[in-house]
Amino acid sequence: MISWSTLHVIGTELVVGTFVLSGIAFLMLFLQKGIHSSDIVAHWALFAGLMFTPLAIFSGISASPNGPEGSVMLFNKFLLSCAAVGLSVGLLWNRYQNQLIHMNRIHALFGMTAVCLILITASFGGMYTRGESLTPFLPKDVAYAFPVWASVILLIMGLIMAGKSAIEHR
């Protein structure tokens, strides 16, 4: 039987590898080289990374000795990976809606941002398990979370705007 930590390493390598491939393709899109093939690779690799992200998240939570609430760094990892997932879903949805339009540099920049979020998450994981990181300048003992009052305001705003659309539906 495979332990949770081994499964987490496998899932993490799949996520980081596919996201890095996506990031390179988004960089090529940003530089406007190989637009058609870079577009296909960027979005399919992003999709593959999204498919493996839940495996990495849940196996990481299960592999943690104290659970997710045991460390601020684990909370930041979860928060950053969820932000990367949300940004990636938005990018894929935008690409699906605009199939015939070539993606612009802003789209590629958001793709590279999603990749950076995943790489920072992986770097936090290296700091948590081995004490080494590619991002020693980032504070790892501070939780990046909204206060409750800001979350409630955003929730209310989202519920109010959910029924309103700026697009005319026919």
Side-chain angles (χ1 to χ4, degrees):
M1 177 136 175
I2 297 176
S3 69
W4 283 113
S5 31
T6 303
L7 191 59
H8 181 63
V9 169
I10 293 168
T12 302
E13 293 299 328
L14 288 169
V15 170
V16 170
T18 54
F19 267 88
V20 166
L21 176 63
S22 176
I24 292 169
F26 275 121
L27 179 63
M28 297 296 286
L29 277 173
F30 185 78
L31 298 174
Q32 301 293 323
K33 298 179 189 269
I35 293 174
H36 180 66
S37 60
S38 296
D39 177 55
I40 293 169
V41 170
H43 292 94
W44 277 108
L46 192 66
F47 179 75
L50 277 175
M51 292 297 104
F52 294 121
T53 300
L55 170 69
I57 291 173
F58 294 124
S59 63
I61 289 171
S62 299
S64 174
N66 299 331
E69 63 278 343
S71 169
V72 173
M73 197 178 309
L74 290 180
F75 175 75
N76 287 335
K77 281 178 53 98
F78 181 75
L79 189 68
L80 286 170
S81 61
C82 287
V85 165
L87 186 56
S88 299
V89 168
L91 284 165
L92 290 173
W93 183 253
N94 183 23
R95 176 63 179 89
Y96 174 75
Q97 293 295 318
N98 302 312
Q99 291 179 5
L100 301 176
I101 300 172
H102 287 297
M103 295 294 107
N104 58 17
R105 289 185 175 183
I106 303 275
H107 185 85
L109 194 62
F110 279 129
M112 289 186 288
T113 302
V115 172
C116 283
L117 289 173
I118 286 294
L119 293 178
I120 292 171
T121 302
S123 181
F124 278 10
M127 179 59 83
Y128 182 74
T129 57
R130 296 182 308 278
E132 55 190 32
S133 173
L134 293 174
T135 55
F137 52 87
L138 291 177
K140 293 162 184 68
D141 56 347
V142 177
Y144 303 109
F146 276 179
V148 174
W149 61 267
S151 298
V152 169
I153 289 172
L154 287 174
L155 177 65
I156 291 169
M157 287 174 56
L159 291 173
I160 289 171
M161 295 180 354
K164 300 177 183 178
S165 176
I167 301 170
E168 182 180 334
H169 301 280
R170 296 177 195 206

